[in-house]
Amino acid sequence: MSDTNDERTPSKRTVGTEQKQGFGLVGKDAGFIPTGNANVMSEGSSQNGHDRGGRRFVARTLVPLLVLAAILGGGFFWWTKLRPVQVTVNGTLQSVTVGTTIDQIKQDENIQTASGNYVSVSGNVLAEGGGHPYSVTINDKDTPYDEASVYKVSGGERISIGDGGDRTEPYTTETVNQAPRLLMEGNVGAINYISQWGSTTVKDVLTGQESGEQADGTVYQQGQDCIVTVKDVQPAGNKRLVALTFDDGPSQYTSQYLEILKAKGVKATFFCLGKEVDANPSAAKAIVDAGSQICSHSYDHPDLRNSDAQTVLDQLTSSFSSIENATGVKTTAFRPPYGSFTQKTWLSTQGVATVSVRWDIDTEDWRLPGAGRIVSNATTGVKPGSIILMHDGGGNRDQDVEALPQIIDTLQSQGYTFVTISELLASDDSIPSDIASCDATMPESAVWPDEIGE
Ligand SMILES: [Zn+2]
């Protein structure tokens, strides 16, 4: 209501006139015709003060605001839409209108580029030239094509437009846990041992929707394959070490062997059947008490290569348990019956066994060829690291008992020292110490493979 008083002061009338002029200046943009009318009313007639006051308010206050808004709006429009700015395009300074897209600049400047290819998730070309038409860096930063082509310049950018990159087909992404594979390293040798435990890889697998191809995406956790190494034992310095081994016991001959070994001051290794250990635990204990080594030769001598996975596992675990029960020795070393153990058989072990010991010198004592022949078979072709195969159980061993002292004497005269399998393995610098001790176990962090690889 204070408007009513204000309108009567002359100065305010002058303001009203100015507004009228100002209004004309803005013109139709303001589009507020009743304002002019308000001035006429205020000059020439005297209706009630309330009505006149409203019109005065429009003329005096709202109109200047509208004028200001129009000026500001126009300026804003110019600043955001029409202002010329400078950008550097491929090293040359260019003046362009603010907000111009890079796509437009490329056209206006006639910048020639070669298109990339349209490719599968594995990178195979699905359509030559079907990729992005050009590539862009903005202020030296690579900018994805889809983002770059519609980028509107604001001024001052350094833009580089080059040949287009490849465009990848649409694909789906699946995060997978990939178990390790079981690999064999080396082909020939008397021993097989786990030289590397496996672990799981966690990664994205991308499947191309057009090609159907698969490719690895992000790797979140890099695992490793399980590796079984096959080799002969090579004692450091080519030291003349040799191991005597007796299979299929313990038996009624075990004590005779142990007496000869004791007399000669020599140690050997007995690969025992769990079944025979269970039947004669004191003979098994005597082996350990004599300082020789005891390892597994399965529970009851099946050909493990022809056994199912569960049988392989059971044969190993039950024989390891029999040995531990009889002697207190925890071993994870074994000799497969018939030397028959493959990459596939290893897969069945689930990591309960860590070293498989075969032989490179076969006495063929099971043929009962005579003690002399057993001696010559045992001592011919021996080299540092050799493993000699003889038998404890499985039949009459009189010829072996007769041959054993001569075998020891002959090889000792050639400078050989008889050691256990653990001592032999420990003499080879490439074999891990826990494997050599024949009681290694799979680390908790390791994962057993679920398939074999090449
Ligand atoms: Zn055997």
Side-chain angles (χ1 to χ4, degrees):
M1 289 305 155
S2 61
D3 289 357
T4 310
N5 293 327
D6 289 348
E7 76 165 279
R8 288 173 185 157
T9 65
S11 63
K12 291 295 174 186
R13 294 183 189 221
T14 309
V15 171
T17 306
E18 281 168 9
Q19 282 177 343
K20 201 170 178 180
Q21 286 165 353
F23 192 76
L25 188 72
V26 175
K28 62 181 178 181
D29 276 359
F32 201 69
I33 289 161
T35 309
N37 197 24
N39 267 323
V40 173
M41 295 285 283
S42 66
E43 299 271 332
S45 70
S46 58
Q47 296 188 4
N48 72 70
H50 193 106
D51 195 16
R52 287 202 310 275
R55 287 170 182 168
R56 289 290 177 197
F57 168 75
V58 168
R60 261 184 35 246
T61 308
L62 195 54
V63 169
L65 283 174
L66 286 167
V67 169
L68 185 62
I71 291 169
L72 288 176
F76 181 75
F77 181 82
W78 178 84
W79 184 261
T80 57
K81 304 290 186 190
L82 304 173
R83 175 173 51 104
V85 293
Q86 291 199 313
V87 293
T88 306
V89 180
N90 287 3
T92 305
L93 202 58
Q94 305 278 1
S95 185
V96 298
T97 302
V98 67
T100 305
T101 63
I102 289 178
D103 210 47
Q104 190 62 50
I105 291 172
K106 179 180 179 294
Q107 282 184 43
D108 292 347
E109 301 300 324
N110 195 26
I111 296 169
Q112 298 298 314
T113 55
S115 294
N117 295 322
Y118 182 52
V119 297
S120 71
V121 283
S122 335
N124 292 320
V125 175
L126 299 175
E128 198 126 352
H132 298 304
Y134 56 89
S135 64
V136 177
T137 66
I138 301 171
N139 296 332
D140 301 324
K141 184 169 165 280
D142 284 334
T143 307
Y145 173 78
D146 293 338
E147 190 183 309
S149 59
V150 296
Y151 178 87
K152 294 176 177 177
V153 300
S154 55
E157 290 99 330
R158 282 189 317 283
I159 297 164
S160 177
I161 302 174
D163 287 344
D166 291 342
R167 185 168 59 91
T168 304
E169 66 175 322
Y171 55 82
T172 56
T173 303
E174 187 189 5
T175 303
V176 300
N177 289 351
Q178 186 182 62
R181 297 168 305 161
L182 188 140
L183 308 181
M184 300 293 275
E185 185 181 84
N187 295 316
V188 184
I191 61 161
N192 291 195
Y193 66 96
I194 295 172
S195 55
Q196 176 174 292
W197 295 99
S199 56
T200 303
T201 297
V202 182
K203 66 180 180 183
D204 282 344
V205 172
L206 317 179
T207 304
Q209 289 184 349
E210 281 185 37
S211 68
E213 292 172 12
Q214 290 199 320
D216 285 356
T218 306
V219 176
Y220 304 102
Q221 177 186 306
Q222 182 62 59
Q224 62 183 19
D225 287 322
C226 175
I227 298 175
V228 173
T229 294
V230 183
K231 64 171 291 186
D232 279 331
V233 179
Q234 291 169 310
N238 213 28
K239 200 171 174 191
R240 293 199 154 207
L241 302 179
V242 64
L244 279 170
T245 64
F246 299 93
D247 285 9
D248 302 345
S251 76
Q252 62 190 94
Y253 298 96
T254 307
S255 59
Q256 297 181 59
Y257 288 137
L258 291 175
E259 277 172 29
I260 296 166
L261 295 170
K262 186 180 178 188
K264 298 286 184 186
V266 162
K267 295 179 203 169
T269 301
F270 292 76
F271 289 95
C272 294
L273 295 172
K275 189 177 82 169
E276 300 302 332
V277 171
D278 286 349
N280 198 350
S282 61
K285 183 77 163 51
I287 293 168
V288 177
D289 290 345
S292 282
Q293 185 173 358
I294 189 168
C295 300
S296 163
H297 188 45
S298 81
Y299 190 79
D300 59 6
H301 217 275
D303 185 341
L304 294 173
R305 190 168 50 182
N306 298 327
S307 302
D308 61 43
Q310 190 60 50
T311 301
V312 171
L313 185 57
D314 289 347
Q315 286 281 328
L316 289 166
T317 53
S318 61
S319 60
F320 291 149
S321 295
S322 297
I323 290 168
E324 186 178 357
N325 291 339
T327 68
V329 172
K330 292 185 184 208
T331 184
T332 55
F334 72 104
R335 169 171 285 162
Y338 316 104
S340 175
F341 215 74
T342 64
Q343 187 175 11
K344 186 166 163 281
T345 334
W346 267 109
L347 193 63
S348 305
T349 66
Q350 298 299 321
V352 301
T354 60
V355 55
S356 164
V357 181
R358 290 193 257 206
W359 57 88
D360 62 302
I361 303 292
D362 188 350
T363 60
E364 300 197 4
D365 56 347
W366 58 273
R367 293 180 188 272
L368 304 178
R373 186 60 190 264
I374 292 174
V375 173
S376 65
N377 283 349
T379 56
T380 303
V382 172
K383 62 182 192 297
S386 277
I387 299 169
I388 300 169
L389 171 63
M390 299 179 74
H391 286 85
D392 180 4
N396 187 298
R397 299 273 81 96
D398 288 342
Q399 293 181 2
D400 291 279
V401 172
E402 189 185 341
L404 183 57
Q406 300 172 58
I407 293 170
I408 294 170
D409 291 345
T410 304
L411 290 174
Q412 281 184 333
S413 72
Q414 294 173 9
Y416 280 96
T417 299
F418 289 90
V419 293
T420 63
I421 286 296
S422 276
E423 290 167 338
L424 193 71
L425 297 176
S427 75
D428 185 325
D429 293 336
S430 72
I431 299 174
S433 58
D434 64 332
I435 295 293
S437 68
C438 292
D439 61 358
T441 53
M442 184 164 79
E444 275 183 31
S445 59
V447 174
W448 190 250
D450 60 5
E451 63 177 353
I452 58 178
E454 289 179 16

